[in-house]
Amino acid sequence: MAEIIDFFLDYTQQNSCAECIPCRIGTKRMQEIVKKIFNGSISDRELSLLYDFAEDIGASSKCDLGKMAGKAVKFALQYCKNDIDAHIKGSCGHTIPANPGWQSIMMK
Amino acid sequence: MANVTLTIDGQKVTVPEGTTILKAAEKAGVKIPTLCFLEHVGLRHIKHDVGACRVCVVEVEGKKDLVSSCNTPVEEGMVIRTHTPKVIAARKLNLEMMLSDHHLDCPTCPKNGICELQAICAELNVRQIRPQGEKKDFPIDDSSPSIMRNPNKCILCQRCITACKVLQTVDALELYGNGFDAVVRPKGGLPLIETQCVACGQCALVCPTAAIVEKDDTWKVWEAIADPNKHVVVQTAPATHVTIGEAFGLPVGTDITGKMVAALKRLGFDAVFDTNWSADLTIMEEGYELIHRIKNNGVLPQFTSCSPGWIKFVEEFYPDLIPHISSCKSPQQMLGPIAKTYYAEKKGINPENIFVVSIMPCTAKKYEAARPEMNAASKYWNNPNITRDVDVVLTSRELIRMIREAGIDFANLPDEKYDPIMGEGTGAAQIFGATGGVMEAALRTAYEVVTGKTLPRLDFEDVRGMKDIKEASVNMNGVTVKVLVAHSLGAARQLMDKIRAGELKDYHFIEIMACPGGCIGGGGQPIPTTVEERELRIKGIYERDKKLPIRKSHENPEIQAIYKEFLKEPLGHKSHQLLHTHYTPRGKK
């Protein structure tokens, strides 16, 4: 999930018209924090700031692009907390196994 | 139009349909903070409400997301809350985001103290900057002699783009790029000097931070004053007579002429002259040129040439109409060469040592003074050691800073008088500072020169005021002279398109001022310069005109003296040498 957020924030940055502050700067700041999830250097303070960002950007961006970026991060923090925590601890390999159908064919 | 009733912070308010939440709140007595919003960009009908800063967001009952109040129209039965925790948190965090990408060098910032970003952070009690991260790092663009751009201080509110594109129709700036890397830059990413920018400085007036400011030349003046070999003279533009006081707590539009002269003398200038004097000289030359054109089937209508932003505008966008422009230099550029010839001769000073400083309401004047052809005195004496006609141009804002630096208590200064030879100005020259003024001054003189009669009524009310395009006509010995006045380059463009299309042939004289309201709304004037301030300053200008003992340029004794002793006659040989110029077609190749 952390990768998906990172990817989505990349998309937002590349497509942001740069007119409003939450989308132009906010999504960049969110991405900077999200990247810290990968190497586990994120602090609790930053995690809570990320939540504040997501809330604010989702609510106050000018158009749906920024709003979606904020909301996506908010939902990820709310509903995929385990995955993110695993990332922070560095224990997350691949949470979804490779297609077992393929595996069973290949192994035979 | 139907009315809409809504509730704002518990107050019921009824407003016409289409009103924004911001305006409705104002009516309900609720103040919503704004940063990027700007009403009346130069003219009343131009508004900037892109909703970029997201500071004016409010909560609307039934809507999950916040809405920006500056550009959202009200709806029947809306229930709005303007300071819930959610709203306040969003405003603060949005400002923090803005600050996280801002070089926070406030103490050394040119806008320190008059910065709108600073003010709003104080107003909204922003006490920390939680987000940290990459900051933009663009080079400073100081290619233009008039305007300096520091994109690192830019908050991308785009007010400058509105001023440039909608008000002035010059369209030299653009918002380029996406996301965090976006930047407001001159079109095509060129240095400002290589674009079609006319240096009018309206962008600098509306910029909330110091992303666009005038180029500061005060140090050159301090050095010149301190140099014992230099005879430093200074001239003050008509529009500065009613504006400098604002910065020192005096009411907008107060006539501070005497105090300004006193301040300049205390700063150490060797002689203090009045651009009003050379404005009278301009009227003589330009008025006679008009009469000459009318009598000899010259190119009509004749355009005024006092506004350097306007001159660059014609050169860039309407090079085919250059023959319409009066060949007279602007008052600033008339005083320069006269100081280095006539004045030098009379005073027995080596013109090489004369250093001319101008106090102008204008950023484009810096550009004008730097034009290569503006070295008439050097040509006159055939001496390459004489520098350009006007050595340094300071805007009103720069003079204000110098007065502060010197610790002068401006508001309590006694009134002092200009120095003789080039210090007397008439009411006609005074009104050069307001839109329509040059025209009115020209008519006062032209009428009396052509008819030989005294003008029954001096005031031409038709050409005054903040209306975009104004017209008047005067009967002079059976010829009805028709004149047009426009201010702001957007209005000028309307007239120019008509002339290009072959219309307006029966008009004789057109006055254009690049800045809304004329020079009193110039790009170098104190900040803020809103429409209200422009109107008050215009009032101040006409009050001073009424007060002055002489109100017609040709009656100025010092003007009569220079023609008698030096220039001989308007449009004469010396006039052509020193007071007239030519223009260069520019524009896209």
Side-chain angles (χ1 to χ4, degrees):
Chain A
M1 199 60 204
E3 282 94 343
I4 290 177
I5 299 174
D6 186 29
F7 175 78
F8 189 61
L9 289 175
D10 243 355
Y11 176 84
T12 314
Q13 273 289 308
Q14 278 166 28
N15 290 282
S16 166
C17 74
E19 201 145 83
C20 80
I21 294 288
C23 182
R24 171 166 68 89
I25 303 178
T27 57
K28 170 88 175 174
R29 294 286 173 259
M30 283 208 293
Q31 198 181 24
E32 284 167 347
I33 300 175
V34 166
K35 286 210 188 290
K36 290 186 175 175
I37 291 177
F38 298 129
N39 61 16
S41 69
I42 188 168
S43 65
D44 289 349
R45 212 173 138 264
E46 282 167 325
L47 205 57
S48 97
L49 181 59
L50 186 61
Y51 187 85
D52 288 350
F53 264 129
E55 176 81 36
D56 172 45
I57 295 165
S60 71
S61 287
K62 190 173 170 182
C63 79
D64 285 342
L65 182 73
K67 283 182 182 172
M68 269 314 294
K71 282 170 185 168
V73 174
K74 193 174 148 188
F75 290 150
L77 289 170
Q78 270 176 347
Y79 300 114
C80 309
K81 192 80 174 57
N82 294 343
D83 178 69
I84 287 168
D85 284 345
H87 259 93
I88 294 169
K89 286 191 198 116
S91 59
C92 176
H94 298 283
T95 45
I96 302 167
N99 188 325
W102 271 106
Q103 265 180 355
S104 55
I105 293 165
M106 296 300 282
M107 299 303 275
K108 266 182 189 164
Chain B
M1 205 184 274
N3 278 343
V4 178
T5 303
L6 67 158
T7 314
I8 301 177
D9 288 348
Q11 311 263 351
K12 273 231 168 353
V13 60
T14 305
V15 290
E17 207 177 8
T19 310
T20 59
I21 296 177
L22 185 69
K23 288 282 129 191
E26 217 167 77
K27 205 184 163 199
V30 174
K31 191 188 165 207
I32 299 175
T34 59
L35 176 55
C36 67
F37 175 72
L38 191 62
E39 209 174 13
H40 314 315
V41 185
L43 294 169
R44 285 214 180 272
H45 55 87
I46 299 175
K47 192 161 75 170
H48 178 73
D49 59 353
V50 297
C53 68
R54 316 308 285 174
V55 165
C56 67
V57 287
V58 292
E59 213 171 332
V60 177
E61 205 169 273
K63 283 192 182 161
K64 271 191 97 180
D65 296 333
L66 304 173
V67 298
S68 51
S69 55
C70 68
N71 56 7
T72 308
V74 291
E75 285 163 29
E76 183 63 42
M78 258 184 173
V79 178
I80 292 163
R81 288 187 192 86
T82 69
H83 49 261
T84 60
K86 189 177 172 183
V87 168
I88 290 175
R91 283 178 188 159
K92 282 194 180 192
L93 191 52
N94 288 345
L95 280 173
E96 283 177 53
M97 285 176 202
M98 214 180 285
L99 295 175
S100 75
D101 184 31
H102 198 80
H103 291 229
L104 297 168
D105 46 3
C106 296
T108 54
C109 178
K111 280 294 230 1
N112 188 11
I114 50 169
C115 169
E116 289 178 48
L117 181 58
Q118 241 176 14
I120 194 98
C121 287
E123 194 182 325
L124 296 186
N125 198 21
V126 175
R127 292 296 173 95
Q128 55 179 347
I129 305 171
R130 282 168 288 168
Q132 297 293 336
E134 191 187 324
K135 277 186 182 156
K136 56 179 171 253
D137 191 15
F138 294 105
I140 290 172
D141 177 0
D142 60 354
S143 61
S144 158
S146 303
I147 288 164
M148 204 172 78
R149 282 177 55 251
N150 184 349
N152 300 320
K153 291 179 188 283
C154 177
I155 58 167
L156 275 79
C157 69
Q158 302 173 61
R159 282 182 185 177
C160 52
I161 296 181
T162 299
C164 195
K165 191 173 177 174
V166 184
L167 174 69
Q168 301 293 50
T169 63
V170 170
D171 201 10
L173 298 169
E174 65 180 0
L175 176 58
Y176 173 82
N178 292 91
F180 185 76
D181 301 324
V183 60
V184 171
R185 63 174 200 181
K187 276 266 164 85
L190 296 166
L192 196 59
I193 191 71
E194 289 170 31
T195 66
Q196 296 192 307
C197 167
V198 301
C200 69
Q202 289 301 309
C203 51
L205 283 186
V206 295
C207 179
T209 65
I212 302 181
V213 291
E214 72 286 348
K215 202 136 193 210
D216 190 305
D217 291 314
T218 51
W219 192 248
K220 291 182 195 163
V221 177
W222 283 124
E223 281 186 328
I225 291 174
D227 186 342
N229 297 322
K230 282 200 175 115
H231 183 83
V232 187
V233 304
V234 63
Q235 55 168 322
T236 60
T240 60
H241 293 228
V242 296
T243 52
I244 303 284
E246 283 168 40
F248 300 97
L250 297 168
V252 180
T254 308
D255 174 10
I256 47 79
T257 311
K259 290 185 197 302
M260 182 164 59
V261 176
L264 290 167
K265 288 192 172 164
R266 279 168 205 217
L267 285 175
F269 288 101
D270 295 303
V272 183
F273 294 135
D274 197 354
T275 312
N276 282 16
W277 175 84
S278 50
D280 282 329
L281 192 60
T282 304
I283 285 300
M284 295 300 288
E285 294 292 327
E286 203 160 338
Y288 275 88
E289 186 187 350
L290 177 67
I291 296 165
H292 181 83
R293 283 192 193 212
I294 294 176
K295 279 190 182 154
N296 300 296
N297 288 324
V299 182
L300 288 172
Q302 175 179 315
F303 302 157
T304 57
S305 56
C306 301
S307 169
W310 150 243
I311 294 296
K312 175 106 193 287
F313 183 78
V314 180
E315 289 176 335
E316 290 283 358
F317 299 99
Y318 297 92
D320 49 313
L321 299 182
I322 283 178
H324 287 267
I325 312 177
S326 159
S327 65
C328 293
K329 288 179 183 173
S330 69
Q332 162 179 273
Q333 293 302 141
M334 284 201 177
L335 197 139
I338 296 291
K340 291 184 179 185
T341 56
Y342 175 63
Y343 173 75
E345 245 173 4
K346 276 198 100 152
K347 283 273 180 174
I349 303 168
N350 181 353
E352 284 178 29
N353 296 333
I354 294 184
F355 192 88
V356 180
V357 178
S358 311
I359 311 298
M360 292 287 143
C362 180
T363 44
K365 288 280 174 200
K366 287 176 187 273
Y367 171 83
E368 184 186 44
R371 277 171 175 256
E373 66 269 23
M374 294 296 181
N375 62 346
S378 171
K379 280 184 219 146
Y380 179 87
W381 294 113
N382 198 13
N383 180 350
N385 293 331
I386 297 175
T387 47
R388 61 194 204 190
D389 293 340
V390 173
D391 294 273
V392 175
V393 178
L394 297 181
T395 60
S396 307
R397 295 199 286 273
E398 287 168 274
L399 174 64
I400 290 163
R401 291 204 289 270
M402 282 184 78
I403 294 171
R404 288 216 179 100
E405 275 184 75
I408 294 169
D409 179 9
F410 187 84
N412 294 315
L413 282 175
D415 285 357
E416 284 182 39
K417 282 198 157 37
Y418 284 103
D419 290 308
I421 302 181
M422 296 187 281
E424 179 114 31
T426 66
Q430 184 57 51
I431 58 176
F432 263 59
T435 165
V438 178
M439 179 60 64
E440 191 173 333
L443 291 179
R444 288 181 191 178
T445 287
Y447 180 89
E448 300 203 349
V449 170
V450 172
T451 63
K453 287 183 261 183
T454 312
L455 196 60
R457 230 179 122 248
L458 282 183
D459 302 303
F460 290 83
E461 304 276 354
D462 293 348
V463 293
R464 296 181 182 181
M466 286 295 280
K467 210 176 132 213
D468 292 19
I469 296 171
K470 300 162 280 187
E471 65 172 291
S473 59
V474 197
N475 193 315
M476 295 184 192
N477 274 359
V479 181
T480 306
V481 175
K482 290 175 77 179
V483 302
L484 277 169
V485 170
H487 58 124
S488 85
L489 293 173
R493 189 180 283 277
Q494 290 173 27
L495 290 184
M496 292 311 107
D497 286 341
K498 281 190 182 154
I499 290 174
R500 213 177 234 177
E503 294 170 50
L504 307 181
K505 277 203 173 109
D506 52 339
Y507 286 86
H508 299 92
F509 200 12
I510 299 183
E511 180 207 297
I512 309 270
M513 285 291 157
C515 296
C519 304
I520 48 87
Q525 291 284 39
I527 292 172
T529 291
T530 61
V531 176
E532 290 76 22
E533 261 125 17
R534 289 172 210 252
E535 282 166 347
L536 287 169
R537 292 170 188 167
I538 287 178
K539 218 173 129 230
I541 289 264
Y542 287 112
E543 272 167 19
R544 187 168 143 80
D545 166 36
K546 280 225 166 78
K547 239 169 34 188
L548 285 167
I550 307 171
R551 295 181 63 199
K552 287 173 271 185
S553 298
H554 56 287
E555 291 176 359
N556 182 338
E558 284 182 352
I559 293 293
Q560 290 168 345
I562 190 176
Y563 276 111
K564 208 168 134 222
E565 293 172 22
F566 185 68
L567 294 171
K568 305 302 172 207
E569 56 176 349
L571 307 184
H573 175 65
K574 269 188 187 160
S575 293
H576 270 291
Q577 233 179 343
L578 297 172
L579 308 180
H580 289 257
T581 185
H582 57 271
Y583 307 103
T584 319
R586 296 167 209 268
K588 284 184 184 141
K589 301 276 153 22

